[in-house]
Amino acid sequence: MSEKPSVLFVCVHNAGRSQMAAAWLNHLAGDRVEVRSAGSAPADAVNPAVVEAMYEVGIDITAETPKVLTVDAVQASDVCVTMGCGDACPVFPGKRYLDWKLADPAGQGVEAVRPIRDEIKARIETLLNEIAPETPEAGK
């Protein structure tokens, strides 16, 4: 892994789970990790219930848009986390792959999205501790 690890989150539409995961990692890691998200068949917009659920915890993803999964995005990432995209994600040697089994928020209201959001946060916290743990600065 490079000095600054990079993570790619992939789901089918890049409108729900992968958007929440990317937002959580950006929020919790700051500039310690490079974050990308993409979909194998991107939707036209991020799921409004997902936007609302993230806004409830102080994370604004209204400016995010679903992005198409590219080979370059996978190659540029140290860790690739898939969330229900099956075999759509290309596999390259030397990358770490994780497949997170999560409920799909598509077509769900914000009440159904909240537990998915919270589960993703817990997984992000674990991943962050593995790839870019906070280290106390010398002399503090």
Side-chain angles (χ1 to χ4, degrees):
M1 227 178 279
S2 59
E3 213 170 281
K4 183 176 180 177
S6 58
V7 179
L8 170 64
F9 296 101
V10 182
C11 66
V12 175
H13 299 297
N14 190 220
R17 295 165 289 190
S18 57
Q19 289 285 350
M20 287 190 283
W24 274 123
L25 187 53
N26 274 322
H27 180 75
L28 296 170
D31 62 358
R32 290 184 296 154
V33 178
E34 187 176 338
V35 182
R36 299 176 182 85
S37 72
S40 53
D44 293 330
V46 176
N47 179 333
V50 166
V51 173
E52 183 179 344
M54 293 305 288
Y55 193 76
E56 289 176 351
V57 294
I59 301 174
D60 183 359
I61 61 170
T62 55
E64 296 300 323
T65 57
K67 295 164 277 308
V68 69
L69 176 63
T70 65
V71 170
D72 289 343
V74 177
Q75 286 180 316
S77 302
D78 297 307
V79 180
C80 182
V81 180
T82 57
M83 305 171 184
C85 69
D87 297 329
C89 190
V91 176
F92 293 97
K95 307 290 177 194
R96 178 177 175 194
Y97 292 90
L98 302 171
D99 186 34
W100 290 355
K101 305 288 187 216
L102 296 161
D104 189 348
Q108 304 291 321
V110 71
E111 299 79 19
V113 173
R114 287 183 189 119
I116 303 167
R117 172 199 67 200
D118 297 343
E119 183 178 348
I120 289 172
K121 179 185 182 192
R123 290 178 186 227
I124 291 298
E125 289 170 337
T126 299
L127 178 64
L128 183 56
N129 284 331
E130 291 172 5
I131 65 168
E134 282 193 81
T135 54
E137 291 179 7
K140 284 203 169 183

